[in-house]
């Protein structure tokens, strides 16, 4: 069984985000980068499924040359090999990322392709669905439980209706929601082995500019910080403020 | 041909609140021009008049038993077919659970740029521009889509909803998506835990969230009672969800839900950067915390330094009195 996990290198969720001098990107010096959290969850489940069913886990990442660190991290967690589409920089919309990933995925035999439900920098929640569409494969999003049997995936997904049990034939695409798996920490042995695992480096296709990032600005400053008072004595004043000043009650 | 087309979402035989929001924004963008609306489901034809009352000039309806459940395959094909009829500059879809599956699928199948989860959108001669929070709201991107059609998903609870008028009867056209149940490649076998009747967090006007300072799930009646007193919905910090005190779907923050209610209560929540990212666009934030130095107070419009176990019951009683 061939599993492919698409993962993205993103600033750590604890990072303070500052707009860079060009007004179109963010300051990256002093910012730690990580595998996007949902992608790490997807990777963990792929590793577990490989342990159950045999096969290989390949990670696929479109990202700057620096992303080799996050790719090594994935290999240290236990992925077998990697494809790194090296990005020269600049912004890409989700559709362009999906096209680049779909092109690679179309040329390798992947029974199951796993994505995160969303990257925590772009926050589009789109690349997985788009890639599935481009590949012409069924997709199940927001998956919290995932099993494989008889050439099919059986998944639980969180929809507005509740927890749906959804089935699709392989090859298929899923996007991971929290709850699917708890990512492992790489072992020392894993880290050593990762150094020898192959990374197939290719140039990412040029961006087509169907979408442009015109500028990035900081969010509007909140005028917070007003302490109404201490303990139960402050409740009456809080209620008055909510009604008369904020007018939200 | 309309310049703006919208997908209107339904649930349990009714239009969702987001339908009014996408139509409200569509009418503003069209500036008096026509707006097409697409309605997809099983047994939904009767809602076409409601859609027209909200301002759609034409309602494109696909009504068939293949659409009883949402599926990317089915709804994607039906919406792609409808936009081929409408050929709009912009397709607006709510950034809901359904919309977040549907919009990327249609964007990919039509080769369109997608501007996802935006908080403002504008139509220009050459492009469609939008404002989009990134890094869970720690920054705002101004983006533009340059394809012939641009697909835009609208963040719930941000756009001014259209109000229904007793307009003319709907101008309805039915669209045959050419999809039958047997064509769907994902099959919903069953629905396990039926979602409760409670409103989704992203649509709620008032949210009452609790954090680790509440010590355990047995104390959640404090949060639930306050939520009930103000007509709100319960939320939680990740610490609480990770501890298994509350379900995943209540988590607010960077790896949970991004919410912007009118009123947000953060009770015994410290205000970690990942939590703030998910709620700092709330219109009014109230924090209750024993620690005067907790970061949540920096973003709170109103704070009470105090023990939640003492303050919350009193606050709940006061608010109950208001309602009576
Ligand atoms: C990758 C990643 C993603 C994350 N995503 C999220 C996310 O989406 N959402 C999220 O919330 N967090 C997220 N976190 C976790 C975040 O960093 C914090 O750990 C979490 O928000 C803390 O939850 P808390 O405020 O409930 O708990 P704590 O930080 O433990 O705070 C408890 C607070 O309760 C107060 N308190 C104690 N007793 C009382 C009392 N009796 N009355 C009143 N106040 C009291 C304390 O003073 C303290 O401020 C993420 C972390 C990582 C690494
Ligand atoms: N540059 C990338 N390289 C590999 N996978 C990606 C990339 N961007 C997004 N993805 C995948 O697509 C998912 C959704 O991303 P997004 O649409 O940006 O929220 C992520 O969780 C990843 O699994």
């Amino acid at each position: 069984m061939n599993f492919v996990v698409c993962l993205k290198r993103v600033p750590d969720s604890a990072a303070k985000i500052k707009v860079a001098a060009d007004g179109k990107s963010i300051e990256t010096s002093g910012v730690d980068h990580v595998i996007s959290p949902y992608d790490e969850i997807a990777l963990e489940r792929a590793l577990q499924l490989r342990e159950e069913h045999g096969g290989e886990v390949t990670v696929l990442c479109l990202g700057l040359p620096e992303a080799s660190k996050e790719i090594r991290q994935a290999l240290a967690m236990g992925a077998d090999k990697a494809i790194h589409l090296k990005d020269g920089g600049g912004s890409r919309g989700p559709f362009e990322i999906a096209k680049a990933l779909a092109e690679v995925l179309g040329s390798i035999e992947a029974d199951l392709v796993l994505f995160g439900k969303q990257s925590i920098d772009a926050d589009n929640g789109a690349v997985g669905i788009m890639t599935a569409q481009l590949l012409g494969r069924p997709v199940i999003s927001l998956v919290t439980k995932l099993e494989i049997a008889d050439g099919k995936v059986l998944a639980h997904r969180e929809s507005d209706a509740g927890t749906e049990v959804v089935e699709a034939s392989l090859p298929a695409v899923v996007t991971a929601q929290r709850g699917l798996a708890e990512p492992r920490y790489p072992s020392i042995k894993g880290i050593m082995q990762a150094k020898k695992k192959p990374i197939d480096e290719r140039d990412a296709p040029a961006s087509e500019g169907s979408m442009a990032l015109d500028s990035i600005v900081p969010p509007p400053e909140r005028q917070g910080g007003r302490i109404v008072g201490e303990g139960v004595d402050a409740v009456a004043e809080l209620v008055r403020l909510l009604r008369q000043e904020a007018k939200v009650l | 041909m309309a310049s703006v087309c919208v997908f209107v979402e339904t649930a349990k035989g009714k239009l969702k609140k987001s339908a009014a929001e996408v139509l409200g924004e569509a009418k503003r963008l069209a500036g008096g021009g026509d707006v097409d609306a697409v309605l997809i489901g099983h047994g939904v034809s009767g809602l076409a008049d409601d859609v027209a009352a909200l301002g759609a000039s034409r309602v494109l309806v696909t009504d068939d038993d293949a659409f009883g459940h949402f599926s990317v395959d089915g709804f994607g094909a039906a919406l792609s077919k409808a936009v081929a009829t409408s050929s709009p500059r912009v397709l607006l879809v709510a950034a809901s659970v359904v919309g977040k599956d549907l919009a990327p699928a249609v964007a990919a199948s039509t080769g369109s740029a997608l501007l996802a989860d935006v908080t403002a959108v504008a139509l220009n001669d050459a492009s469609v521009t939008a404002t989009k929070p990134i890094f869970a709201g720690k920054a705002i991107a101004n983006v533009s889509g340059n394809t012939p059609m641009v697909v835009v998903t609208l963040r719930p609870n941000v756009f001014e909803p259209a109000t229904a008028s007793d307009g003319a009867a709907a101008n309805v056209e039915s669209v045959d998506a050419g999809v039958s149940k047997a064509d769907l490649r994902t099959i919903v076998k069953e629905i396990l835990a039926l979602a409760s009747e409670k409103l989704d967090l992203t649509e709620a006007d008032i949210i009452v969230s609790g954090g680790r300072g509440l010590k355990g799930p047995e104390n959640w009646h404090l949060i639930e009672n306050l939520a009930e007193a103000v007509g709100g919905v319960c939320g939680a910090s990740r610490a609480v969800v990770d501890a298994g005190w509350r379900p995943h779907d209540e988590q607010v923050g960077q790896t949970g839900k991004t919410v912007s209610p009118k009123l947000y209560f953060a009770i015994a929540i410290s205000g970690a950067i990942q939590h703030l990212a998910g709620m700092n666009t709330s219109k009014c934030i109230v924090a209750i915390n024993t620690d005067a130095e907790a970061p949540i107070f920096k973003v709170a419009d109103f704070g009470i330094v105090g023990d939640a176990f003492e303050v919350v019951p009193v606050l709940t009683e006061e608010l109950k009195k208001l309602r009576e």
Side-chain angles (χ1 to χ4, degrees), chain B residues 19-323:
Chain B
E21 292 174 13
V22 290
L23 277 162
E25 186 57 17
K27 283 199 287 186
R28 202 188 60 76
L29 285 176
D34 285 347
V35 171
D36 282 345
V38 182
L39 182 61
I40 303 169
H42 185 211
V44 294
S45 302
L47 297 174
D49 285 337
D50 294 349
V51 178
L54 287 169
S57 348
R58 182 169 62 155
V59 189
L60 301 164
V61 183
T62 301
D63 193 336
D64 188 275
D65 77 342
F67 304 98
H69 269 298
F70 172 76
S71 65
V72 176
D73 282 1
F75 278 56
L79 184 53
S80 298
K81 197 79 177 273
V83 293
T85 310
S86 175
S87 54
R89 284 276 321 278
V90 200
L91 171 65
L92 299 183
V93 179
S96 59
V97 173
V98 161
K100 284 178 173 179
D101 265 9
L102 182 57
V106 171
S109 68
T110 57
S112 306
L114 170 73
L115 311 181
D117 203 18
V118 310
T119 53
V121 55
L123 259 177
N124 306 308
D125 289 340
S127 65
V128 176
T129 58
T131 304
K132 168 183 165 44
I134 52 176
F135 298 97
K138 291 182 211 167
I140 311 285
N142 292 307
V143 291
S144 46
N146 306 315
T147 46
M149 177 175 85
V150 175
V151 181
V152 182
T153 61
L154 305 185
R155 176 168 291 193
N157 244 353
V158 171
F159 292 86
E160 192 64 41
T163 42
S165 58
D166 323 298
N171 168 14
V172 180
E173 272 176 41
S174 82
V175 175
D176 180 0
V179 175
S180 72
K181 245 183 167 165
D183 299 325
L184 304 179
R185 295 169 303 173
T186 53
I187 299 149
V188 180
K189 304 289 253 187
E190 60 180 312
I191 298 183
L192 287 178
L194 214 56
S196 53
E197 292 298 313
K198 73 184 179 192
L199 204 61
D200 185 78
L201 275 180
T202 58
E203 292 181 18
D205 279 336
I206 302 182
I207 296 174
V208 182
S209 285
R212 181 150 51 193
L214 288 168
K215 315 259 178 326
E218 67 280 6
N219 297 322
W220 232 257
H221 60 275
L222 289 174
I223 299 298
E224 283 159 352
N225 292 346
L226 177 54
E228 198 186 316
V230 289
V233 178
C234 299
S237 71
R238 169 153 169 189
V240 160
V241 171
D242 281 352
W245 300 354
R246 301 300 295 180
H248 279 136
D249 66 357
E250 286 188 7
Q251 184 183 319
V252 172
Q254 190 158 15
T255 51
K257 291 194 164 137
T258 307
V259 299
S260 36
K262 282 204 195 78
L263 179 55
Y264 187 90
F265 288 90
I267 297 175
I269 289 177
S270 59
I273 189 166
Q274 297 98 343
H275 189 82
L276 299 183
M279 46 64 85
N280 68 10
T281 55
S282 304
K283 273 126 232 150
C284 179
I285 297 172
V286 174
I288 300 173
N289 198 303
T290 42
D291 176 7
E293 301 300 316
I296 191 73
F297 285 126
K298 295 210 173 65
V299 302
D301 297 277
F302 306 118
I304 294 183
V305 179
D307 187 338
F309 292 92
E310 293 167 12
V311 176
V312 174
V314 177
L315 177 61
T316 305
E317 281 312 309
E318 286 295 313
L319 293 172
K320 260 196 205 148
K321 277 190 225 152
L322 279 186
R323 289 217 137 189

Side-chain angles (χ1 to χ4, degrees), chain A:
Chain A
M1 191 86 65
N2 283 321
F3 302 94
V4 181
V5 182
C6 293
L7 52 87
K8 189 177 188 187
R9 168 187 193 259
V10 299
D12 182 64
S13 71
K16 292 224 160 66
I17 300 299
K18 276 208 212 96
V19 180
D22 68 358
K24 284 186 170 205
S25 58
I26 61 146
E27 200 68 72
T28 51
S29 64
V31 173
D32 285 336
H33 286 78
V34 295
I35 300 172
S36 193
Y38 295 104
D39 308 358
E40 211 177 19
I41 294 171
L43 172 59
E44 175 60 39
R45 188 62 193 136
L47 296 172
Q48 294 168 357
L49 286 170
R50 180 195 60 191
E51 281 150 23
E52 290 164 32
H53 299 275
E56 267 194 337
V57 174
T58 306
V59 299
L60 171 58
C61 171
L62 187 164
L64 296 172
E66 291 89 320
S68 59
K69 176 180 140 271
E70 284 66 42
I71 293 172
R72 287 280 172 218
Q73 168 84 6
L75 294 172
M77 283 172 71
D80 298 286
K81 55 187 187 173
I83 302 172
H84 184 178
L85 289 179
K86 281 198 172 172
D87 195 350
S91 73
R92 286 170 201 264
F95 185 49
E96 285 165 32
I97 297 174
K99 269 211 267 193
L101 299 180
E103 201 180 297
V104 174
L105 290 164
S107 69
I108 54 182
E109 271 177 34
D111 299 294
L112 185 64
V113 185
L114 301 94
F115 288 82
K117 73 142 190 168
Q118 176 172 330
S119 62
I120 66 156
D121 55 351
D123 286 335
N124 287 313
V127 170
I129 310 280
M130 287 180 148
T131 308
Q133 192 73 27
L134 292 171
L135 291 170
R137 292 190 196 162
V139 58
I140 309 175
S141 67
L142 305 176
V143 167
T144 53
K145 191 163 181 256
L146 180 66
E147 304 296 343
I148 293 177
D150 309 324
K152 288 186 172 138
V153 277
L154 196 65
H156 287 190
R157 76 178 287 267
E158 283 178 7
S159 78
D160 289 338
T163 306
E164 294 176 352
V165 183
V166 187
E167 186 186 87
S169 290
L170 294 171
V173 176
V174 298
T175 78
Q177 169 66 299
R178 278 192 61 219
L180 176 62
E182 273 306 316
R184 67 189 70 185
Y185 291 101
S187 62
I188 302 286
K189 192 170 153 222
I191 295 169
M192 297 308 290
Q193 285 173 341
K195 292 185 177 143
K196 293 186 218 105
K197 289 178 181 171
I199 302 181
D200 174 356
E201 296 184 345
R202 309 179 189 177
D203 286 332
S207 167
E208 297 162 13
S210 63
M211 186 181 151
L213 177 61
D214 303 319
S215 64
I216 299 182
V217 294
E221 201 63 54
R222 269 203 92 85
Q223 294 298 322
R226 175 159 165 197
I227 302 284
V228 177
E230 283 185 25
V232 292
D233 297 344
V235 168
E237 176 62 1
L238 171 65
V239 172
R240 189 193 69 77
L241 288 166
L242 290 175
R243 296 188 67 193
Q244 294 175 8
E245 201 167 293
K247 298 193 169 66
V248 285
L249 285 179

